[in-house]
Amino acid sequence: MIKTDILIIGAGPTGLFTVFEAGLLKLKTHLIDALPQPGGQCSEIYPKKPIYDIPAFPEILAGDLVKNLMEQIRPFEPGFTLGERAETLEKLDDGTFIVTTNKGTQHHAPVIAIAGGLGSFEPRKPPIANIAKFEDKGVSYFIKDPEVYRNKRVVISGGGDSALDWAIYLADIASEVALVHRRAEFRGALDSVERVSELAKLGKIEMITNAEVVGLTGEDILEKVVIRHKDQARGEEFKEVDDFIPLFGLSPKLGPIGSWGLEIEKNAIKVDNSYDYQTNIPGVYAIGDVNTYKGKLKLILSGFHEAAIMCQSAYQRIYPDKKYVLKYTTVGGVEGFDGTKKEAKREVVQSIGV
């Protein structure tokens, strides 16, 4: 069983920054996320989209924001349970909690911080009747290890950043990469679109636009995809493949968290924002886009603020007999659990005798 001080459900920007604020208070953290990597939507959906309302960054790519947050929290050595969904919440007699994932991994903590953004994410699956038959047998909705596709024939379907980025990446790994999109125009970052076009001219990516994958065939594993062209003259074609990766984004849902006995309002968790963003269950907090209260703004910077306030309350819950004195990092520096310490250089003024 994994034990920690604050168990954070959701490894998006708000969840990651919670690690930093908790670390300043010497509180250990562990994060659970259904996605295979930290970052939430910023990593999975729009890593190359610019964000303009992060303080001190006139513009920063979503993926770079996640990278910076991961570097910022590194000294506090957070634990991660990735690719698993928080399934059940059990409150023990001593007031602590056990959270179990869909894969049976158990976590024990006195404080739970739900920072799941808009909830857990489930892949948007194309309306192909027999797609479930080939899941993990040639059909994948996430790319966890690109090396799995080395020297394979891969068809990617989608027109956003994720589809474009993975098509580019796999062009140097897979033996064949085809990118299928139902329109002629892509909705991803311009540099990604241009790069895919360049690779298509070089014969490293086959671009199939104005078309959709509508069928899958095979005995025990995927063998072919059926591509239907809008041009009726071309009709349908059967393409031999090893892997089909539909990347149509993620669908946010509260998922099992919605049945934990929390007060839900319009698919969000209601909290008391006048003090610490605690839910109706003492010891369980909700911060970031997953919560709601009067005047709520669903902004990343709002989530950062809520994380800082929440951690102060969590400290008092874990150590009710201790009084924490707020110290500015400009004065006290940042001391990590890994033994590192960042602090401003101090000028030493020596008096000179006359």
Side-chain angles (χ1 to χ4, degrees):
M1 184 180 296
I2 297 170
K3 295 185 178 182
T4 190
D5 293 322
I6 301 179
L7 180 63
I8 305 166
I9 300 173
T14 296
L16 295 176
F17 190 67
T18 302
V19 174
F20 180 78
E21 288 297 323
L24 294 179
L25 300 170
K26 307 301 181 186
L27 299 177
K28 291 280 190 177
T29 53
H30 190 95
L31 301 94
I32 301 175
D33 202 295
L35 294 176
Q37 72 284 317
Q41 295 184 70
C42 288
S43 293
E44 187 64 25
I45 301 178
Y46 50 86
K48 291 191 175 182
K49 291 289 180 69
I51 303 174
Y52 300 103
D53 59 357
I54 302 298
F57 287 97
E59 177 181 339
I60 185 170
L61 297 180
D64 289 341
L65 175 64
V66 173
K67 181 180 178 181
N68 289 352
L69 285 166
M70 290 295 290
E71 176 62 23
Q72 186 177 26
I73 68 175
R74 183 181 52 78
F76 297 118
E77 302 178 328
F80 288 92
T81 298
L82 299 174
E84 300 185 31
R85 182 182 63 242
E87 197 79 12
T88 62
L89 173 72
E90 177 187 0
K91 190 168 187 177
L92 304 181
D93 292 338
D94 62 357
T96 62
F97 303 90
I98 291 179
V99 172
T100 305
T101 70
N102 61 317
K103 294 186 178 180
T105 308
Q106 291 190 314
H107 308 74
H108 182 218
V111 169
I112 307 297
I114 303 173
L118 296 173
S120 63
F121 291 97
E122 297 179 7
R124 291 191 176 98
K125 302 179 181 181
I128 300 174
N130 63 342
I131 194 167
K133 172 185 175 181
F134 296 106
E135 289 175 353
D136 297 323
K137 297 178 181 179
V139 172
S140 301
Y141 305 106
F142 301 105
I143 297 177
K144 297 181 180 180
D145 180 9
E147 283 298 317
V148 169
Y149 304 100
R150 183 165 292 280
N151 300 322
K152 298 288 189 67
R153 297 164 299 177
V154 178
V155 170
I156 296 174
S157 193
D161 283 318
S162 187
L164 291 165
D165 291 345
W166 280 118
I168 294 168
Y169 194 91
L170 293 180
D172 291 326
I173 295 176
S175 61
E176 297 177 16
V177 175
L179 178 59
V180 181
H181 184 41
R182 61 195 177 97
R183 296 190 178 94
E185 303 81 18
F186 291 87
R187 63 182 184 279
L190 180 59
D191 62 332
S192 296
V193 176
E194 291 175 344
R195 180 59 179 155
V196 166
S197 297
E198 291 174 2
L199 290 171
K201 291 176 182 177
L202 294 171
K204 302 193 72 172
I205 293 177
E206 180 184 3
M207 289 180 66
I208 306 174
T209 56
N210 291 316
E212 295 182 78
V213 175
V214 297
L216 308 172
T217 66
E219 292 295 329
D220 297 325
I221 60 174
L222 179 66
E223 296 174 5
K224 296 180 182 179
V225 298
V226 183
I227 300 174
R228 179 179 297 161
H229 298 271
K230 287 185 179 180
D231 183 354
Q232 295 183 355
R234 298 185 64 184
E236 292 183 351
E237 69 170 290
F238 287 76
K239 187 174 184 63
E240 293 185 353
V241 298
D242 296 303
D243 294 277
F244 172 51
I245 311 170
L247 297 174
F248 297 142
L250 302 169
S251 177
K253 296 180 181 179
L254 276 179
I257 291 176
S259 62
W260 286 4
L262 299 164
E263 188 174 353
I264 307 297
E265 184 178 292
K266 295 181 179 180
N267 206 38
I269 302 170
K270 194 172 182 179
V271 296
D272 176 13
N273 71 308
S274 64
Y275 181 53
D276 57 6
Y277 306 100
Q278 195 160 197
T279 68
N280 59 304
I281 301 177
V284 178
Y285 301 79
I287 54 177
D289 287 355
V290 76
N291 75 12
T292 186
Y293 52 84
K294 187 176 180 180
K296 169 70 179 182
L297 292 176
K298 291 184 180 294
L299 299 172
I300 293 175
L301 63 89
S302 298
F304 290 167
H305 162 79
E306 293 166 9
I309 298 297
M310 183 278 297
C311 285
Q312 296 289 325
S313 177
Y315 182 89
Q316 292 302 320
R317 178 176 177 80
I318 297 170
Y319 300 112
D321 298 327
K322 291 185 179 181
K323 184 178 180 180
Y324 176 75
V325 179
L326 179 66
K327 297 179 181 178
Y328 298 114
T329 56
T330 52
V331 176
V334 176
E335 187 174 350
F337 298 147
D338 60 357
T340 62
K341 184 172 183 178
K342 294 181 179 180
E343 59 182 338
K345 293 182 179 180
R346 298 183 181 182
E347 298 292 337
V348 178
V349 179
Q350 297 179 337
S351 59
I352 300 175
V354 178

